[in-house]
Amino acid sequence: MPTNVLVAFDGSPLSERALTYAIETFPDAPITSIYVINPIDSVIDVEAGGLPVAEGWYENAKEQASRTHTTATDLAAERSTELVTVTEVGKPARAILEYADDHDVDQIVMGSHGRSGIDRALLGSVAETVTRRARIPVTIIS
């Protein structure tokens, strides 16, 4: 049984299923939820919204991370589980893998895809990259 589980959580339905799976499957392991702020998202936002969006993208991203952590914490609390939440900045797959390596994680759980729209296509590759490069078991929820 794993002793330290990391769940990639972006607030999508699949990430909620991944967190639920981790809680139910590894009830005795500490579980950490990771949310990754991807600076590339700012480029997409600027293209859509112009300079005013560019100036506030990081603050908006931190607020989104906070809301997402609240969702994850509430989901865990409904199952009487304590959850540690962390926010990292960078390429999502790299940030997940580096966090796992740096914090003695021995199991990663994540959804096969993240949010909808353009992010869905981009985040689908995150699950693939994490699965291929992780030195530990990765469970993909679909």
Side-chain angles (χ1 to χ4, degrees), residues 1-8 18 21-23 25-26 29-34 96-97 99-101 103-110 130-131 134-141:
M1 282 302 249
T3 58
N4 197 0
V5 178
L6 181 64
V7 178
Y21 172 88
I23 291 168
T25 306
F26 311 113
I31 298 176
T32 300
S33 167
I34 186 171
I96 292 165
L97 291 166
Y99 185 90
D101 285 344
H103 293 87
D104 297 321
V105 170
D106 53 10
Q107 176 74 46
I108 298 171
V109 180
M110 62 191 305
V130 169
T131 301
R135 299 176 195 173
I136 58 174
V138 178
T139 301
I140 301 295
I141 304 299

PDB file of all heavy atoms in Angstrom, residues 1-8 18 21-23 25-26 29-34 96-97 99-101 103-110 130-131 134-141:
ATOM      1  N   MET A   1       0.830  -1.185   0.000  1.00  0.00           N
ATOM      2  CA  MET A   1       0.000   0.000   0.000  1.00  0.00           C
ATOM      3  C   MET A   1       0.878   1.252   0.000  1.00  0.00           C
ATOM      4  O   MET A   1       1.863   1.319   0.721  1.00  0.00           O
ATOM      5  CB  MET A   1      -0.878   0.024   1.251  1.00  0.00           C
ATOM      6  CG  MET A   1      -2.097  -0.878   1.201  1.00  0.00           C
ATOM      7  SD  MET A   1      -3.181  -0.494  -0.175  1.00  0.00           S
ATOM      8  CE  MET A   1      -4.562   0.155   0.679  1.00  0.00           C
ATOM      9  N   PRO A   2       0.480   2.252  -0.770  1.00  0.00           N
ATOM     10  CA  PRO A   2       1.232   3.504  -0.789  1.00  0.00           C
ATOM     11  C   PRO A   2       1.209   4.201   0.572  1.00  0.00           C
ATOM     12  O   PRO A   2       0.259   4.067   1.331  1.00  0.00           O
ATOM     13  CB  PRO A   2       0.490   4.349  -1.821  1.00  0.00           C
ATOM     14  CG  PRO A   2      -0.315   3.401  -2.623  1.00  0.00           C
ATOM     15  CD  PRO A   2      -0.614   2.246  -1.731  1.00  0.00           C
ATOM     16  N   THR A   3       2.271   4.933   0.837  1.00  0.00           N
ATOM     17  CA  THR A   3       2.334   5.684   2.088  1.00  0.00           C
ATOM     18  C   THR A   3       2.204   7.180   1.868  1.00  0.00           C
ATOM     19  O   THR A   3       2.112   7.931   2.842  1.00  0.00           O
ATOM     20  CB  THR A   3       3.659   5.395   2.817  1.00  0.00           C
ATOM     21  OG1 THR A   3       4.742   5.748   1.957  1.00  0.00           O
ATOM     22  CG2 THR A   3       3.767   3.937   3.204  1.00  0.00           C
ATOM     23  N   ASN A   4       2.191   7.629   0.604  1.00  0.00           N
ATOM     24  CA  ASN A   4       2.088   9.052   0.314  1.00  0.00           C
ATOM     25  C   ASN A   4       1.509   9.203  -1.093  1.00  0.00           C
ATOM     26  O   ASN A   4       2.194   8.917  -2.073  1.00  0.00           O
ATOM     27  CB  ASN A   4       3.466   9.702   0.420  1.00  0.00           C
ATOM     28  CG  ASN A   4       3.397  11.199   0.534  1.00  0.00           C
ATOM     29  OD1 ASN A   4       2.328  11.794   0.545  1.00  0.00           O
ATOM     30  ND2 ASN A   4       4.553  11.820   0.591  1.00  0.00           N
ATOM     31  N   VAL A   5       0.261   9.661  -1.194  1.00  0.00           N
ATOM     32  CA  VAL A   5      -0.461   9.712  -2.462  1.00  0.00           C
ATOM     33  C   VAL A   5      -0.608  11.159  -2.925  1.00  0.00           C
ATOM     34  O   VAL A   5      -0.957  12.039  -2.140  1.00  0.00           O
ATOM     35  CB  VAL A   5      -1.853   9.058  -2.325  1.00  0.00           C
ATOM     36  CG1 VAL A   5      -2.634   9.160  -3.628  1.00  0.00           C
ATOM     37  CG2 VAL A   5      -1.724   7.598  -1.887  1.00  0.00           C
ATOM     38  N   LEU A   6      -0.354  11.389  -4.204  1.00  0.00           N
ATOM     39  CA  LEU A   6      -0.518  12.701  -4.823  1.00  0.00           C
ATOM     40  C   LEU A   6      -1.637  12.625  -5.852  1.00  0.00           C
ATOM     41  O   LEU A   6      -1.625  11.755  -6.722  1.00  0.00           O
ATOM     42  CB  LEU A   6       0.785  13.137  -5.512  1.00  0.00           C
ATOM     43  CG  LEU A   6       0.771  14.505  -6.187  1.00  0.00           C
ATOM     44  CD1 LEU A   6       0.577  15.616  -5.156  1.00  0.00           C
ATOM     45  CD2 LEU A   6       2.065  14.711  -6.972  1.00  0.00           C
ATOM     46  N   VAL A   7      -2.610  13.535  -5.740  1.00  0.00           N
ATOM     47  CA  VAL A   7      -3.718  13.589  -6.685  1.00  0.00           C
ATOM     48  C   VAL A   7      -3.641  14.905  -7.448  1.00  0.00           C
ATOM     49  O   VAL A   7      -3.649  15.979  -6.843  1.00  0.00           O
ATOM     50  CB  VAL A   7      -5.083  13.485  -5.972  1.00  0.00           C
ATOM     51  CG1 VAL A   7      -6.226  13.586  -6.984  1.00  0.00           C
ATOM     52  CG2 VAL A   7      -5.183  12.191  -5.171  1.00  0.00           C
ATOM     53  N   ALA A   8      -3.558  14.821  -8.761  1.00  0.00           N
ATOM     54  CA  ALA A   8      -3.614  16.014  -9.606  1.00  0.00           C
ATOM     55  C   ALA A   8      -5.070  16.451  -9.651  1.00  0.00           C
ATOM     56  O   ALA A   8      -5.944  15.687 -10.066  1.00  0.00           O
ATOM     57  CB  ALA A   8      -3.090  15.698 -11.000  1.00  0.00           C
ATOM     58  N   ALA A  18     -10.899  11.143  -9.454  1.00  0.00           N
ATOM     59  CA  ALA A  18      -9.559  10.692  -9.069  1.00  0.00           C
ATOM     60  C   ALA A  18      -9.348  10.877  -7.570  1.00  0.00           C
ATOM     61  O   ALA A  18      -8.810   9.984  -6.894  1.00  0.00           O
ATOM     62  CB  ALA A  18      -8.494  11.447  -9.860  1.00  0.00           C
ATOM     63  N   TYR A  21     -11.420   8.309  -5.722  1.00  0.00           N
ATOM     64  CA  TYR A  21     -10.750   7.007  -5.861  1.00  0.00           C
ATOM     65  C   TYR A  21      -9.592   6.896  -4.875  1.00  0.00           C
ATOM     66  O   TYR A  21      -9.439   5.891  -4.183  1.00  0.00           O
ATOM     67  CB  TYR A  21     -10.251   6.822  -7.291  1.00  0.00           C
ATOM     68  CG  TYR A  21      -9.396   5.595  -7.471  1.00  0.00           C
ATOM     69  CD1 TYR A  21      -9.969   4.358  -7.765  1.00  0.00           C
ATOM     70  CD2 TYR A  21      -8.009   5.655  -7.320  1.00  0.00           C
ATOM     71  CE1 TYR A  21      -9.183   3.218  -7.912  1.00  0.00           C
ATOM     72  CE2 TYR A  21      -7.222   4.535  -7.470  1.00  0.00           C
ATOM     73  CZ  TYR A  21      -7.811   3.314  -7.766  1.00  0.00           C
ATOM     74  OH  TYR A  21      -7.026   2.194  -7.897  1.00  0.00           O
ATOM     75  N   ALA A  22      -8.768   7.927  -4.806  1.00  0.00           N
ATOM     76  CA  ALA A  22      -7.604   7.890  -3.916  1.00  0.00           C
ATOM     77  C   ALA A  22      -8.033   7.761  -2.458  1.00  0.00           C
ATOM     78  O   ALA A  22      -7.455   6.977  -1.697  1.00  0.00           O
ATOM     79  CB  ALA A  22      -6.753   9.146  -4.108  1.00  0.00           C
ATOM     80  N   ILE A  23      -9.042   8.515  -2.073  1.00  0.00           N
ATOM     81  CA  ILE A  23      -9.533   8.463  -0.692  1.00  0.00           C
ATOM     82  C   ILE A  23     -10.067   7.077  -0.360  1.00  0.00           C
ATOM     83  O   ILE A  23      -9.786   6.524   0.717  1.00  0.00           O
ATOM     84  CB  ILE A  23     -10.609   9.543  -0.463  1.00  0.00           C
ATOM     85  CG1 ILE A  23      -9.969  10.936  -0.506  1.00  0.00           C
ATOM     86  CG2 ILE A  23     -11.349   9.315   0.848  1.00  0.00           C
ATOM     87  CD1 ILE A  23     -10.972  12.077  -0.592  1.00  0.00           C
ATOM     88  N   THR A  25      -9.487   4.164  -2.001  1.00  0.00           N
ATOM     89  CA  THR A  25      -8.549   3.072  -2.241  1.00  0.00           C
ATOM     90  C   THR A  25      -7.378   3.074  -1.262  1.00  0.00           C
ATOM     91  O   THR A  25      -6.860   2.020  -0.917  1.00  0.00           O
ATOM     92  CB  THR A  25      -8.025   3.145  -3.697  1.00  0.00           C
ATOM     93  OG1 THR A  25      -9.155   3.176  -4.584  1.00  0.00           O
ATOM     94  CG2 THR A  25      -7.163   1.943  -4.027  1.00  0.00           C
ATOM     95  N   PHE A  26      -6.985   4.255  -0.819  1.00  0.00           N
ATOM     96  CA  PHE A  26      -5.834   4.379   0.076  1.00  0.00           C
ATOM     97  C   PHE A  26      -6.241   5.119   1.360  1.00  0.00           C
ATOM     98  O   PHE A  26      -5.734   6.204   1.650  1.00  0.00           O
ATOM     99  CB  PHE A  26      -4.693   5.117  -0.630  1.00  0.00           C
ATOM    100  CG  PHE A  26      -4.375   4.579  -2.000  1.00  0.00           C
ATOM    101  CD1 PHE A  26      -4.620   5.337  -3.138  1.00  0.00           C
ATOM    102  CD2 PHE A  26      -3.838   3.310  -2.158  1.00  0.00           C
ATOM    103  CE1 PHE A  26      -4.332   4.845  -4.404  1.00  0.00           C
ATOM    104  CE2 PHE A  26      -3.550   2.812  -3.420  1.00  0.00           C
ATOM    105  CZ  PHE A  26      -3.798   3.567  -4.548  1.00  0.00           C
ATOM    106  N   ALA A  29      -3.391   6.277   3.809  1.00  0.00           N
ATOM    107  CA  ALA A  29      -2.254   7.052   3.296  1.00  0.00           C
ATOM    108  C   ALA A  29      -2.555   8.545   3.347  1.00  0.00           C
ATOM    109  O   ALA A  29      -3.683   8.968   3.075  1.00  0.00           O
ATOM    110  CB  ALA A  29      -1.955   6.644   1.857  1.00  0.00           C
ATOM    111  N   PRO A  30      -1.546   9.362   3.663  1.00  0.00           N
ATOM    112  CA  PRO A  30      -1.735  10.804   3.528  1.00  0.00           C
ATOM    113  C   PRO A  30      -1.942  11.147   2.047  1.00  0.00           C
ATOM    114  O   PRO A  30      -1.257  10.604   1.182  1.00  0.00           O
ATOM    115  CB  PRO A  30      -0.424  11.399   4.033  1.00  0.00           C
ATOM    116  CG  PRO A  30       0.301  10.300   4.715  1.00  0.00           C
ATOM    117  CD  PRO A  30      -0.230   9.014   4.182  1.00  0.00           C
ATOM    118  N   ILE A  31      -2.884  12.041   1.792  1.00  0.00           N
ATOM    119  CA  ILE A  31      -3.196  12.419   0.417  1.00  0.00           C
ATOM    120  C   ILE A  31      -2.953  13.910   0.248  1.00  0.00           C
ATOM    121  O   ILE A  31      -3.401  14.719   1.052  1.00  0.00           O
ATOM    122  CB  ILE A  31      -4.644  12.052   0.048  1.00  0.00           C
ATOM    123  CG1 ILE A  31      -4.840  10.538   0.152  1.00  0.00           C
ATOM    124  CG2 ILE A  31      -4.996  12.565  -1.350  1.00  0.00           C
ATOM    125  CD1 ILE A  31      -6.257  10.074  -0.093  1.00  0.00           C
ATOM    126  N   THR A  32      -2.249  14.242  -0.828  1.00  0.00           N
ATOM    127  CA  THR A  32      -1.986  15.627  -1.188  1.00  0.00           C
ATOM    128  C   THR A  32      -2.628  15.899  -2.538  1.00  0.00           C
ATOM    129  O   THR A  32      -2.491  15.110  -3.473  1.00  0.00           O
ATOM    130  CB  THR A  32      -0.469  15.896  -1.274  1.00  0.00           C
ATOM    131  OG1 THR A  32       0.118  15.614  -0.007  1.00  0.00           O
ATOM    132  CG2 THR A  32      -0.187  17.338  -1.662  1.00  0.00           C
ATOM    133  N   SER A  33      -3.314  17.010  -2.628  1.00  0.00           N
ATOM    134  CA  SER A  33      -3.907  17.463  -3.878  1.00  0.00           C
ATOM    135  C   SER A  33      -3.014  18.562  -4.452  1.00  0.00           C
ATOM    136  O   SER A  33      -2.673  19.508  -3.747  1.00  0.00           O
ATOM    137  CB  SER A  33      -5.312  18.004  -3.591  1.00  0.00           C
ATOM    138  OG  SER A  33      -5.812  18.724  -4.683  1.00  0.00           O
ATOM    139  N   ILE A  34      -2.643  18.426  -5.721  1.00  0.00           N
ATOM    140  CA  ILE A  34      -1.792  19.430  -6.362  1.00  0.00           C
ATOM    141  C   ILE A  34      -2.555  20.124  -7.486  1.00  0.00           C
ATOM    142  O   ILE A  34      -3.224  19.469  -8.294  1.00  0.00           O
ATOM    143  CB  ILE A  34      -0.477  18.807  -6.888  1.00  0.00           C
ATOM    144  CG1 ILE A  34       0.457  19.887  -7.429  1.00  0.00           C
ATOM    145  CG2 ILE A  34      -0.746  17.718  -7.914  1.00  0.00           C
ATOM    146  CD1 ILE A  34       1.859  19.382  -7.765  1.00  0.00           C
ATOM    147  N   ILE A  96       4.055  18.185 -11.538  1.00  0.00           N
ATOM    148  CA  ILE A  96       3.540  17.009 -10.825  1.00  0.00           C
ATOM    149  C   ILE A  96       4.671  16.028 -10.545  1.00  0.00           C
ATOM    150  O   ILE A  96       4.830  15.536  -9.427  1.00  0.00           O
ATOM    151  CB  ILE A  96       2.408  16.340 -11.635  1.00  0.00           C
ATOM    152  CG1 ILE A  96       1.175  17.262 -11.666  1.00  0.00           C
ATOM    153  CG2 ILE A  96       2.056  14.967 -11.065  1.00  0.00           C
ATOM    154  CD1 ILE A  96       0.145  16.877 -12.713  1.00  0.00           C
ATOM    155  N   LEU A  97       5.471  15.748 -11.560  1.00  0.00           N
ATOM    156  CA  LEU A  97       6.570  14.788 -11.401  1.00  0.00           C
ATOM    157  C   LEU A  97       7.628  15.296 -10.423  1.00  0.00           C
ATOM    158  O   LEU A  97       8.124  14.533  -9.588  1.00  0.00           O
ATOM    159  CB  LEU A  97       7.197  14.480 -12.759  1.00  0.00           C
ATOM    160  CG  LEU A  97       6.294  13.686 -13.715  1.00  0.00           C
ATOM    161  CD1 LEU A  97       6.856  13.723 -15.129  1.00  0.00           C
ATOM    162  CD2 LEU A  97       6.100  12.262 -13.227  1.00  0.00           C
ATOM    163  N   TYR A  99       7.193  17.459  -7.964  1.00  0.00           N
ATOM    164  CA  TYR A  99       6.633  17.438  -6.615  1.00  0.00           C
ATOM    165  C   TYR A  99       6.679  16.006  -6.069  1.00  0.00           C
ATOM    166  O   TYR A  99       7.065  15.784  -4.918  1.00  0.00           O
ATOM    167  CB  TYR A  99       5.192  17.973  -6.587  1.00  0.00           C
ATOM    168  CG  TYR A  99       4.676  18.064  -5.186  1.00  0.00           C
ATOM    169  CD1 TYR A  99       4.843  19.230  -4.447  1.00  0.00           C
ATOM    170  CD2 TYR A  99       4.058  16.978  -4.568  1.00  0.00           C
ATOM    171  CE1 TYR A  99       4.401  19.309  -3.136  1.00  0.00           C
ATOM    172  CE2 TYR A  99       3.618  17.045  -3.266  1.00  0.00           C
ATOM    173  CZ  TYR A  99       3.786  18.213  -2.549  1.00  0.00           C
ATOM    174  OH  TYR A  99       3.367  18.273  -1.244  1.00  0.00           O
ATOM    175  N   ALA A 100       6.296  15.049  -6.891  1.00  0.00           N
ATOM    176  CA  ALA A 100       6.311  13.647  -6.461  1.00  0.00           C
ATOM    177  C   ALA A 100       7.722  13.216  -6.064  1.00  0.00           C
ATOM    178  O   ALA A 100       7.912  12.581  -5.018  1.00  0.00           O
ATOM    179  CB  ALA A 100       5.764  12.749  -7.566  1.00  0.00           C
ATOM    180  N   ASP A 101       8.710  13.573  -6.854  1.00  0.00           N
ATOM    181  CA  ASP A 101      10.098  13.210  -6.546  1.00  0.00           C
ATOM    182  C   ASP A 101      10.594  13.896  -5.277  1.00  0.00           C
ATOM    183  O   ASP A 101      11.267  13.278  -4.456  1.00  0.00           O
ATOM    184  CB  ASP A 101      11.026  13.581  -7.709  1.00  0.00           C
ATOM    185  CG  ASP A 101      10.910  12.639  -8.895  1.00  0.00           C
ATOM    186  OD1 ASP A 101      10.351  11.532  -8.740  1.00  0.00           O
ATOM    187  OD2 ASP A 101      11.376  13.018  -9.989  1.00  0.00           O
ATOM    188  N   HIS A 103       8.921  14.990  -2.692  1.00  0.00           N
ATOM    189  CA  HIS A 103       8.146  14.781  -1.471  1.00  0.00           C
ATOM    190  C   HIS A 103       7.856  13.305  -1.187  1.00  0.00           C
ATOM    191  O   HIS A 103       6.894  12.980  -0.495  1.00  0.00           O
ATOM    192  CB  HIS A 103       6.844  15.585  -1.536  1.00  0.00           C
ATOM    193  CG  HIS A 103       7.083  17.058  -1.508  1.00  0.00           C
ATOM    194  ND1 HIS A 103       7.336  17.787  -2.662  1.00  0.00           N
ATOM    195  CD2 HIS A 103       7.160  17.925  -0.485  1.00  0.00           C
ATOM    196  CE1 HIS A 103       7.540  19.051  -2.323  1.00  0.00           C
ATOM    197  NE2 HIS A 103       7.444  19.162  -1.018  1.00  0.00           N
ATOM    198  N   ASP A 104       8.680  12.427  -1.703  1.00  0.00           N
ATOM    199  CA  ASP A 104       8.567  10.988  -1.419  1.00  0.00           C
ATOM    200  C   ASP A 104       7.176  10.420  -1.689  1.00  0.00           C
ATOM    201  O   ASP A 104       6.686   9.569  -0.957  1.00  0.00           O
ATOM    202  CB  ASP A 104       8.983  10.683   0.027  1.00  0.00           C
ATOM    203  CG  ASP A 104      10.432  11.027   0.285  1.00  0.00           C
ATOM    204  OD1 ASP A 104      11.261  10.785  -0.616  1.00  0.00           O
ATOM    205  OD2 ASP A 104      10.731  11.552   1.374  1.00  0.00           O
ATOM    206  N   VAL A 105       6.539  10.902  -2.740  1.00  0.00           N
ATOM    207  CA  VAL A 105       5.254  10.365  -3.158  1.00  0.00           C
ATOM    208  C   VAL A 105       5.491   8.991  -3.764  1.00  0.00           C
ATOM    209  O   VAL A 105       6.457   8.792  -4.501  1.00  0.00           O
ATOM    210  CB  VAL A 105       4.575  11.320  -4.180  1.00  0.00           C
ATOM    211  CG1 VAL A 105       3.364  10.676  -4.823  1.00  0.00           C
ATOM    212  CG2 VAL A 105       4.215  12.633  -3.503  1.00  0.00           C
ATOM    213  N   ASP A 106       4.625   8.032  -3.439  1.00  0.00           N
ATOM    214  CA  ASP A 106       4.803   6.701  -4.025  1.00  0.00           C
ATOM    215  C   ASP A 106       3.589   6.233  -4.830  1.00  0.00           C
ATOM    216  O   ASP A 106       3.536   5.090  -5.274  1.00  0.00           O
ATOM    217  CB  ASP A 106       5.205   5.664  -2.971  1.00  0.00           C
ATOM    218  CG  ASP A 106       4.287   5.625  -1.779  1.00  0.00           C
ATOM    219  OD1 ASP A 106       3.216   6.255  -1.813  1.00  0.00           O
ATOM    220  OD2 ASP A 106       4.649   4.966  -0.796  1.00  0.00           O
ATOM    221  N   GLN A 107       2.633   7.130  -5.073  1.00  0.00           N
ATOM    222  CA  GLN A 107       1.478   6.835  -5.931  1.00  0.00           C
ATOM    223  C   GLN A 107       0.912   8.156  -6.423  1.00  0.00           C
ATOM    224  O   GLN A 107       0.688   9.068  -5.624  1.00  0.00           O
ATOM    225  CB  GLN A 107       0.400   6.076  -5.153  1.00  0.00           C
ATOM    226  CG  GLN A 107      -0.883   5.813  -5.916  1.00  0.00           C
ATOM    227  CD  GLN A 107      -0.749   4.726  -6.961  1.00  0.00           C
ATOM    228  OE1 GLN A 107      -0.194   3.670  -6.684  1.00  0.00           O
ATOM    229  NE2 GLN A 107      -1.233   4.971  -8.167  1.00  0.00           N
ATOM    230  N   ILE A 108       0.683   8.267  -7.732  1.00  0.00           N
ATOM    231  CA  ILE A 108       0.021   9.429  -8.320  1.00  0.00           C
ATOM    232  C   ILE A 108      -1.317   8.960  -8.860  1.00  0.00           C
ATOM    233  O   ILE A 108      -1.409   7.908  -9.496  1.00  0.00           O
ATOM    234  CB  ILE A 108       0.854  10.052  -9.462  1.00  0.00           C
ATOM    235  CG1 ILE A 108       2.200  10.556  -8.940  1.00  0.00           C
ATOM    236  CG2 ILE A 108       0.074  11.185 -10.138  1.00  0.00           C
ATOM    237  CD1 ILE A 108       3.173  10.990 -10.032  1.00  0.00           C
ATOM    238  N   VAL A 109      -2.360   9.759  -8.605  1.00  0.00           N
ATOM    239  CA  VAL A 109      -3.687   9.483  -9.148  1.00  0.00           C
ATOM    240  C   VAL A 109      -4.144  10.734  -9.871  1.00  0.00           C
ATOM    241  O   VAL A 109      -4.027  11.843  -9.338  1.00  0.00           O
ATOM    242  CB  VAL A 109      -4.693   9.118  -8.027  1.00  0.00           C
ATOM    243  CG1 VAL A 109      -6.074   8.825  -8.618  1.00  0.00           C
ATOM    244  CG2 VAL A 109      -4.196   7.924  -7.207  1.00  0.00           C
ATOM    245  N   MET A 110      -4.663  10.557 -11.087  1.00  0.00           N
ATOM    246  CA  MET A 110      -5.113  11.716 -11.862  1.00  0.00           C
ATOM    247  C   MET A 110      -6.146  11.298 -12.895  1.00  0.00           C
ATOM    248  O   MET A 110      -6.236  10.126 -13.264  1.00  0.00           O
ATOM    249  CB  MET A 110      -3.935  12.413 -12.535  1.00  0.00           C
ATOM    250  CG  MET A 110      -3.180  11.577 -13.521  1.00  0.00           C
ATOM    251  SD  MET A 110      -1.617  12.323 -14.071  1.00  0.00           S
ATOM    252  CE  MET A 110      -2.124  13.900 -14.674  1.00  0.00           C
ATOM    253  N   VAL A 130       2.894  12.244 -17.600  1.00  0.00           N
ATOM    254  CA  VAL A 130       3.133  11.787 -16.226  1.00  0.00           C
ATOM    255  C   VAL A 130       3.246  10.271 -16.198  1.00  0.00           C
ATOM    256  O   VAL A 130       4.148   9.716 -15.564  1.00  0.00           O
ATOM    257  CB  VAL A 130       2.026  12.293 -15.270  1.00  0.00           C
ATOM    258  CG1 VAL A 130       2.121  11.611 -13.911  1.00  0.00           C
ATOM    259  CG2 VAL A 130       2.110  13.806 -15.115  1.00  0.00           C
ATOM    260  N   THR A 131       2.370   9.596 -16.891  1.00  0.00           N
ATOM    261  CA  THR A 131       2.393   8.127 -16.913  1.00  0.00           C
ATOM    262  C   THR A 131       3.701   7.606 -17.501  1.00  0.00           C
ATOM    263  O   THR A 131       4.294   6.669 -16.966  1.00  0.00           O
ATOM    264  CB  THR A 131       1.203   7.591 -17.732  1.00  0.00           C
ATOM    265  OG1 THR A 131      -0.006   8.066 -17.131  1.00  0.00           O
ATOM    266  CG2 THR A 131       1.189   6.080 -17.746  1.00  0.00           C
ATOM    267  N   ALA A 134       6.894   8.973 -14.940  1.00  0.00           N
ATOM    268  CA  ALA A 134       6.913   8.760 -13.484  1.00  0.00           C
ATOM    269  C   ALA A 134       7.734   7.537 -13.127  1.00  0.00           C
ATOM    270  O   ALA A 134       7.741   6.530 -13.839  1.00  0.00           O
ATOM    271  CB  ALA A 134       5.492   8.613 -12.962  1.00  0.00           C
ATOM    272  N   ARG A 135       8.424   7.633 -12.005  1.00  0.00           N
ATOM    273  CA  ARG A 135       9.211   6.518 -11.487  1.00  0.00           C
ATOM    274  C   ARG A 135       8.387   5.691 -10.500  1.00  0.00           C
ATOM    275  O   ARG A 135       8.908   4.745  -9.900  1.00  0.00           O
ATOM    276  CB  ARG A 135      10.445   7.053 -10.782  1.00  0.00           C
ATOM    277  CG  ARG A 135      11.345   7.838 -11.686  1.00  0.00           C
ATOM    278  CD  ARG A 135      12.495   8.418 -10.943  1.00  0.00           C
ATOM    279  NE  ARG A 135      13.115   9.447 -11.763  1.00  0.00           N
ATOM    280  CZ  ARG A 135      14.052  10.245 -11.370  1.00  0.00           C
ATOM    281  NH1 ARG A 135      14.524  10.162 -10.141  1.00  0.00           N
ATOM    282  NH2 ARG A 135      14.554  11.138 -12.173  1.00  0.00           N
ATOM    283  N   ILE A 136       7.161   6.086 -10.301  1.00  0.00           N
ATOM    284  CA  ILE A 136       6.263   5.433  -9.350  1.00  0.00           C
ATOM    285  C   ILE A 136       4.964   5.081 -10.074  1.00  0.00           C
ATOM    286  O   ILE A 136       4.712   5.575 -11.164  1.00  0.00           O
ATOM    287  CB  ILE A 136       5.980   6.360  -8.147  1.00  0.00           C
ATOM    288  CG1 ILE A 136       5.378   7.676  -8.623  1.00  0.00           C
ATOM    289  CG2 ILE A 136       7.249   6.588  -7.332  1.00  0.00           C
ATOM    290  CD1 ILE A 136       4.925   8.607  -7.512  1.00  0.00           C
ATOM    291  N   PRO A 137       4.117   4.258  -9.447  1.00  0.00           N
ATOM    292  CA  PRO A 137       2.838   3.928 -10.086  1.00  0.00           C
ATOM    293  C   PRO A 137       1.939   5.161 -10.274  1.00  0.00           C
ATOM    294  O   PRO A 137       1.895   6.040  -9.419  1.00  0.00           O
ATOM    295  CB  PRO A 137       2.180   2.946  -9.112  1.00  0.00           C
ATOM    296  CG  PRO A 137       3.307   2.379  -8.317  1.00  0.00           C
ATOM    297  CD  PRO A 137       4.325   3.475  -8.225  1.00  0.00           C
ATOM    298  N   VAL A 138       1.261   5.184 -11.417  1.00  0.00           N
ATOM    299  CA  VAL A 138       0.309   6.232 -11.727  1.00  0.00           C
ATOM    300  C   VAL A 138      -1.027   5.565 -12.058  1.00  0.00           C
ATOM    301  O   VAL A 138      -1.063   4.666 -12.899  1.00  0.00           O
ATOM    302  CB  VAL A 138       0.763   7.089 -12.930  1.00  0.00           C
ATOM    303  CG1 VAL A 138      -0.278   8.154 -13.278  1.00  0.00           C
ATOM    304  CG2 VAL A 138       2.109   7.720 -12.654  1.00  0.00           C
ATOM    305  N   THR A 139      -2.080   5.994 -11.405  1.00  0.00           N
ATOM    306  CA  THR A 139      -3.423   5.499 -11.699  1.00  0.00           C
ATOM    307  C   THR A 139      -4.160   6.596 -12.456  1.00  0.00           C
ATOM    308  O   THR A 139      -4.244   7.722 -11.975  1.00  0.00           O
ATOM    309  CB  THR A 139      -4.183   5.149 -10.412  1.00  0.00           C
ATOM    310  OG1 THR A 139      -3.453   4.162  -9.687  1.00  0.00           O
ATOM    311  CG2 THR A 139      -5.574   4.628 -10.726  1.00  0.00           C
ATOM    312  N   ILE A 140      -4.665   6.239 -13.640  1.00  0.00           N
ATOM    313  CA  ILE A 140      -5.395   7.183 -14.465  1.00  0.00           C
ATOM    314  C   ILE A 140      -6.878   6.823 -14.387  1.00  0.00           C
ATOM    315  O   ILE A 140      -7.271   5.695 -14.632  1.00  0.00           O
ATOM    316  CB  ILE A 140      -4.933   7.126 -15.941  1.00  0.00           C
ATOM    317  CG1 ILE A 140      -3.426   7.437 -16.039  1.00  0.00           C
ATOM    318  CG2 ILE A 140      -5.755   8.060 -16.803  1.00  0.00           C
ATOM    319  CD1 ILE A 140      -3.038   8.818 -15.636  1.00  0.00           C
ATOM    320  N   ILE A 141      -7.681   7.824 -14.035  1.00  0.00           N
ATOM    321  CA  ILE A 141      -9.124   7.640 -13.913  1.00  0.00           C
ATOM    322  C   ILE A 141      -9.787   8.221 -15.155  1.00  0.00           C
ATOM    323  O   ILE A 141      -9.500   9.350 -15.556  1.00  0.00           O
ATOM    324  CB  ILE A 141      -9.669   8.364 -12.645  1.00  0.00           C
ATOM    325  CG1 ILE A 141      -8.942   7.880 -11.392  1.00  0.00           C
ATOM    326  CG2 ILE A 141     -11.183   8.207 -12.537  1.00  0.00           C
ATOM    327  CD1 ILE A 141      -9.089   6.411 -11.095  1.00  0.00           C
TER     328      ILE A 141
END
